[in-house]
Amino acid sequence: MNLPIFILASIIKIAIAIGALLTAVAYTVWLERKLVGRIQNRWGPTRVGPFGLLQPLADGLKFILKEDLIPENAYRTLYLLAPMLSVALALTSIALIPVGESITLGRFTTPFEITAVMGAHGPSDINVSLLIILGITSIGVYGIALAGWSSNSKYSLLGSLRASAQMMSYELSLGLSLVGILILSQSLSLREIVNMQSGGILHWNIIGGGQIIAFFVYMTAAFAETNRIPFDLPEAETELVAGYHTEYSAMKFAMFFMAEYTNMITVACLATLLFLGGWSGPTFGPVLVRALLPLFWFMSKVFLFLVLYIWIRGTLPRFRYDQLMAFGWKFLLPVAVANVVVTSAIIAIVDLH
C-alpha cells in the first residue's frame, strides 16, 4: 500500500471510528437509563422519539445550549484543558483496538483497525499495542487531577484526590491480571493474542488458557479504573456533590461523561480481545457476510460487557473509601500476583515435559 492510499484509508477509518464511537457512547447512556429504570421499576426515557431513542440527541443539544460557567477563582488554563485532555486520551486509545480481520473492496483491502496495515501475511498492527493502550489509559488520571485542582473547590479537590489514589491503586492489579495472558501468548500485539485464541470457545483465554481468575481481577480493577459503581467514590453525590466535575457545566461537563463512557467501551473491547477470543466466531454465507460476521461477534461480546456494567450499577451499593482501598491492596493485588505465579509455574512444568 503506497503512502497516499494509506493516509486516505486512515482518515476514512478515523472518521468512521470516531462517529461509531460517539454514537455508541450516546446510546450506551440511553441503554443505561433504560436498564436501570427497569431494574428500579421505572420506564426510563420515553418522551423523545420512539422508546426514547432520540433522548441522546436531546441531551447533546441541551449541553450545547446551556450556559458555560467558569468559577471566578479557577485556574482558567488548566480548568479548560482538563476535560479536553480526558476526552482526547479516551478517544486516542480506540485507534489501537482491532475489531476484525480485514475487508476487501475491489482491489483495495484494509484491516478493521486504524493503526494496522495489510502485510504479506495478512493484517499487521503495532506489535506493542496493548502496552501503548495501557500507557494512554493510565495517564487519563491527569485530566481528573487537573480538573479537581484547577476548579478551586474543596469538593472537586477531594474527588480528584480520591480518583488519583483509586486509579493508581487498581492500575497495578489490572496490569498484573494481564501478565498471565502475555505469558501464554508471548506477545503484546492484540491481533496475535486474538489469533492465539482461534479454534473455538475452548481456546479462549478465559477457558482454555485457565485465566478465569485473571478475568475477574481485570473486570473488578476496570470498574474501579472507570469510577463506576461500586467504585464511584470520586463522584459520590452524597458526600462530594459531583466530585471532580462539580464546577463544570455545558460541554465541558459533557466531555467528562464522554470520557467515562468511552473508557467503558475501551475496557469492554480489551476484555473481549484478551479473554473472549476477540472477533472469533462461526462464519457462513456470502463473502460480504463472512467478512462482516467477525465484526458482529466482536460487537456482541462488547455489548454484553456494557450490559454487565449497567447491571452492576443497578445492583450493588457503593463501597466506603477505606473498604475500597483495603480491597484493592489487601485482596485484589495478592490474587493477581498469585495468578501470575500459578500460570508461570504451570507453563514452566508443561515446557519441561
Side-chain angles (χ1 to χ4, degrees):
M1 184 186 295
N2 58 39
L3 185 60
I5 294 178
F6 173 74
I7 292 173
L8 179 61
S10 297
I11 291 171
I12 293 171
K13 286 193 286 186
I14 288 169
I16 293 172
I18 290 178
L21 184 61
L22 294 180
T23 303
V25 166
Y27 280 95
T28 301
V29 177
W30 173 86
L31 179 66
E32 181 167 26
R33 293 175 69 178
K34 293 294 279 189
L35 287 183
V36 172
R38 292 292 183 173
I39 290 170
Q40 298 173 349
N41 201 25
R42 298 184 289 105
W43 283 103
T46 57
R47 300 279 182 177
V48 188
F51 306 104
L53 284 171
L54 297 181
Q55 187 66 48
L57 183 63
D59 290 340
L61 191 62
K62 178 193 72 173
F63 281 123
I64 292 170
L65 297 177
K66 283 185 73 173
E67 184 180 1
D68 192 359
L69 301 172
I70 298 178
E72 184 178 355
N73 296 317
Y75 191 96
R76 189 183 181 90
T77 304
L78 295 180
Y79 177 85
L80 297 174
L81 179 65
M84 298 178 193
L85 181 64
S86 291
V87 77
L89 290 171
L91 290 172
T92 301
S93 59
I94 209 73
L96 294 147
I97 292 179
V99 298
E101 285 289 348
S102 60
I103 188 168
T104 301
L105 301 171
R107 291 183 300 172
F108 180 68
T109 302
T110 183
F112 277 115
E113 181 189 349
I114 293 173
T115 57
V117 296
M118 284 300 297
H121 304 287
S124 170
D125 66 346
I126 299 172
N127 59 4
V128 289
S129 49
L130 177 59
L131 193 61
I132 295 173
I133 290 172
L134 292 177
I136 291 171
T137 53
S138 66
I139 60 177
V141 69
Y142 284 103
I144 295 173
L146 290 175
W149 180 82
S150 63
S151 295
N152 195 29
S153 163
K154 295 180 178 64
Y155 296 118
S156 299
L157 181 60
L158 285 171
S160 67
L161 289 174
R162 283 185 175 188
S164 302
Q166 177 175 318
M167 292 176 77
M168 285 187 285
S169 299
Y170 282 83
E171 186 81 25
L172 192 57
S173 299
L174 187 143
L176 285 171
S177 70
L178 305 181
V179 173
I181 289 173
L182 301 181
I183 293 171
L184 291 169
S185 62
Q186 298 291 303
S187 175
L188 284 163
S189 166
L190 291 172
R191 282 191 176 276
E192 290 186 23
I193 292 172
V194 172
N195 292 335
M196 287 285 294
Q197 300 176 74
S198 60
I201 190 171
L202 295 179
H203 292 81
W204 294 357
N205 282 326
I206 193 173
I207 299 173
Q211 295 300 300
I212 188 166
I213 293 175
F215 172 75
F216 285 109
V217 172
Y218 171 85
M219 288 308 298
T220 305
F223 272 77
E225 286 281 298
T226 49
N227 298 328
R228 295 284 297 182
I229 288 178
F231 303 102
D232 67 329
L233 273 298
E235 306 169 19
E237 292 88 354
T238 51
E239 304 167 29
L240 303 178
V241 187
Y244 57 88
H245 48 61
T246 298
E247 302 297 335
Y248 283 89
S249 60
M251 278 307 295
K252 295 194 293 296
F253 180 79
M255 282 182 184
F256 280 117
F257 267 76
M258 288 167 59
E260 179 181 324
Y261 282 88
T262 302
N263 287 329
M264 284 170 54
I265 293 171
T266 302
V267 162
C269 290
L270 280 178
T272 299
L273 293 169
L274 297 172
F275 294 98
L276 299 186
W279 53 82
S280 61
T283 56
F284 49 84
V287 175
L288 183 60
V289 174
R290 293 174 68 86
L292 294 178
L293 269 176
L295 182 61
F296 169 77
W297 296 126
F298 181 86
M299 292 173 65
S300 299
K301 294 171 187 177
V302 171
F303 176 77
L304 290 176
F305 277 112
L306 294 176
V307 170
L308 177 65
Y309 257 105
I310 297 165
W311 185 10
I312 288 179
R313 175 184 173 174
T315 306
L316 297 181
R318 180 184 299 129
F319 279 122
R320 216 172 52 226
Y321 193 69
D322 61 316
Q323 294 173 331
L324 170 87
M325 299 303 287
F327 180 77
W329 288 104
K330 296 180 181 179
F331 177 77
L332 208 61
L333 181 60
V335 169
V337 172
N339 179 74
V340 173
V341 171
V342 171
T343 302
S344 304
I346 292 172
I347 294 296
I349 292 168
V350 170
D351 288 346
L352 286 174
H353 289 80

